[in-house]
Amino acid sequence: ILTILGNSAVLATAVKRSSLLKSPELLTVNLAVADIGMAISMYPLAIASAWNHAWLGGDASCVYYALMGFLFGVCSMMTLCAMAVIRFLVTNSSKSNSNKITKNTVRVLITFIWLYSLLWAILPLVGWGYYGPEPFGISCTIAWSKFHNSSNGFSFILSMFLLCTVLPALTIVACYLGIAWKVHKAYQEIQNTDRIPNAAKLEKKLTLMAVLISVGFLSSWTPYAAASFWSIFNSSDSLQPIVTLLPCLFAKSSTAYNPFIYYIFSKTFRREIKQLQCCCGWQVHFFSTNNSAENPVSMMWSG
C-alpha cells in the first residue's frame, strides 16, 4: 500500500510538472515506475501465497514472479547507478557542460537500462541460470540452491553478481565519495558559511537525497544478497526458513522508502502533494511559523 500510494504520488507529480522536469529527474520517474511495477506485479501473489501457507499457481506463476522480481530489481539498481554517475558529472562539470545532459540523452539511457534488465531477466528462460521457489516456499526467485552443483548456474550467478550488483554498487559508492570530496573542498574555500551560494546548498541537498535513496536500496537488499550467496556454496537446508524469509521481506520494503525521502528533502514535491490532496477533496491547514495572532497565515484546500 505504501509503495503504490507513494510512488503513484511521485508519478502524478511528474506528469503534472512534465514540462518543468529536469533531465536527471527522469531517472527518479523511472525508479518510481520500477518500484510500483514490482509492487503491482509481484506483491499480491506473494501475499496470497503467504495466507495460503504455500505457493499458488504452480511453476508458471513461479517463473513469472521470479522474472518480474529480477527485471524490476536490476532496473532499480542500474537506475540508481545512472543517477549517481549523472550527479557526479553535474557536480564536477562546469554549468555549460552539465547542460549537455539533455532529456533525450537520459531517455536513451533509460531505454538502455530497461533493455539491459530485460536481457538478464530472460537469460534463465533460455537456459543460462534457473528460476525456482525460495526456501520458505511462498515466493520465487533465481534458484540459488542449484548453483553449488551446477556449472551453468554457477557461472550465471557470478556474472550476475558482478555485472548487476557489485560493479553498480561500487560505481555508486565511488561517485558519491567523489561528490562528497568535491563539496568538502568547495566549502573549505568559503570561510563564511553565510556566503555559501544557494546553488551550492541546493546541490548539497540533492546529493544527500540521492545518497539516502541509494543507501536505502543497498541496505534493504544486502541481507538478501548475503543469504542468497551463502546458499550458493551451502545447502539451502543449512538456513532456517525465517533466516531466508526476513531478508526477502526487508528487500521488498525498498520500494516504499523513496517517496518519503522526496517528501522530506523536496519543497516542490511537498507542495505538489498538498495540491494533490486539494484535488482529492482533503483539507490541509497551514500556519505561519510566526505565532503572533496579528499575522496568521491559514490556507484551506477543498476539492
Side-chain angles (χ1 to χ4, degrees):
I1 292 173
L2 289 175
T3 297
I4 293 175
L5 290 180
N7 288 286
S8 294
V10 174
L11 295 179
T13 301
V15 170
K16 187 177 179 182
R17 298 182 61 251
S18 57
S19 61
L20 301 175
L21 287 179
K22 298 179 181 179
S23 302
E25 291 179 315
L26 295 178
L27 290 170
T28 302
V29 174
N30 191 58
L31 190 60
V33 169
D35 287 343
I36 201 171
M38 182 177 288
I40 292 174
S41 65
M42 298 172 57
Y43 295 175
L45 187 55
I47 293 170
S49 297
W51 282 105
N52 187 55
H53 300 283
W55 180 251
L56 295 175
D59 293 340
S61 64
C62 184
V63 171
Y64 158 79
Y65 184 95
L67 187 145
M68 290 295 104
F70 198 19
L71 171 66
F72 291 120
V74 174
C75 181
S76 297
M77 185 64 168
M78 300 310 296
T79 301
L80 291 172
C81 182
M83 290 172 63
V85 172
I86 288 181
R87 287 235 56 82
F88 178 80
L89 294 176
V90 169
T91 304
N92 289 274
S93 301
S94 62
K95 186 174 181 180
S96 59
N97 289 331
S98 62
N99 289 335
K100 292 180 180 179
I101 304 176
T102 63
K103 285 188 177 181
N104 286 335
T105 302
V106 177
R107 289 190 185 104
V108 171
L109 180 59
I110 290 173
T111 302
F112 171 78
I113 288 172
W114 280 103
L115 291 176
Y116 184 82
S117 304
L118 183 62
L119 172 64
W120 279 100
I122 290 176
L123 286 176
L125 300 181
V126 296
W128 194 30
Y130 311 95
Y131 287 135
E134 300 270 17
F136 49 86
I138 57 172
S139 69
C140 297
T141 184
I142 298 170
W144 309 101
S145 59
K146 293 184 179 181
F147 296 154
H148 66 279
N149 57 4
S150 169
S151 58
N152 177 29
F154 188 74
S155 62
F156 171 78
I157 194 61
L158 286 182
S159 301
M160 186 274 292
F161 256 91
L162 179 64
L163 298 176
C164 298
T165 305
V166 176
L167 287 181
L170 290 177
T171 301
I172 291 171
V173 171
C175 286
Y176 287 131
L177 286 178
I179 293 171
W181 177 251
K182 178 75 174 181
V183 171
H184 173 70
K185 296 296 289 183
Y187 274 59
Q188 273 190 332
E189 295 174 0
I190 305 174
Q191 299 298 326
N192 188 349
T193 56
D194 295 333
R195 296 181 180 178
I196 296 175
N198 289 332
K201 294 179 180 179
L202 177 61
E203 188 69 28
K204 184 179 179 180
K205 180 181 290 187
L206 291 174
T207 300
L208 180 58
M209 183 174 69
V211 168
L212 289 177
I213 292 170
S214 298
V215 168
F217 183 86
L218 294 175
S219 299
S220 300
W221 281 95
T222 296
Y224 179 76
S228 300
F229 204 74
W230 170 269
S231 65
I232 297 175
F233 303 100
N234 302 273
S235 172
S236 58
D237 296 334
S238 62
L239 294 176
Q240 295 295 323
I242 192 68
V243 177
T244 56
L245 173 62
L246 291 180
C248 183
L249 294 178
F250 189 48
K252 287 180 171 60
S253 71
S254 65
T255 58
Y257 302 151
N258 296 341
F260 293 100
I261 297 174
Y262 302 147
Y263 191 85
I264 293 171
F265 285 91
S266 174
K267 291 182 180 179
T268 301
F269 185 63
R270 288 198 298 271
R271 183 173 64 248
E272 294 293 340
I273 289 297
K274 290 165 185 174
Q275 291 178 0
L276 287 175
Q277 292 173 345
C278 162
C279 296
C280 293
W282 298 348
Q283 289 184 341
V284 182
H285 300 276
F286 299 94
F287 299 94
S288 66
T289 54
N290 184 0
N291 293 326
S292 172
E294 298 178 357
N295 187 31
V297 177
S298 179
M299 297 176 65
M300 178 179 294
W301 302 90
S302 58

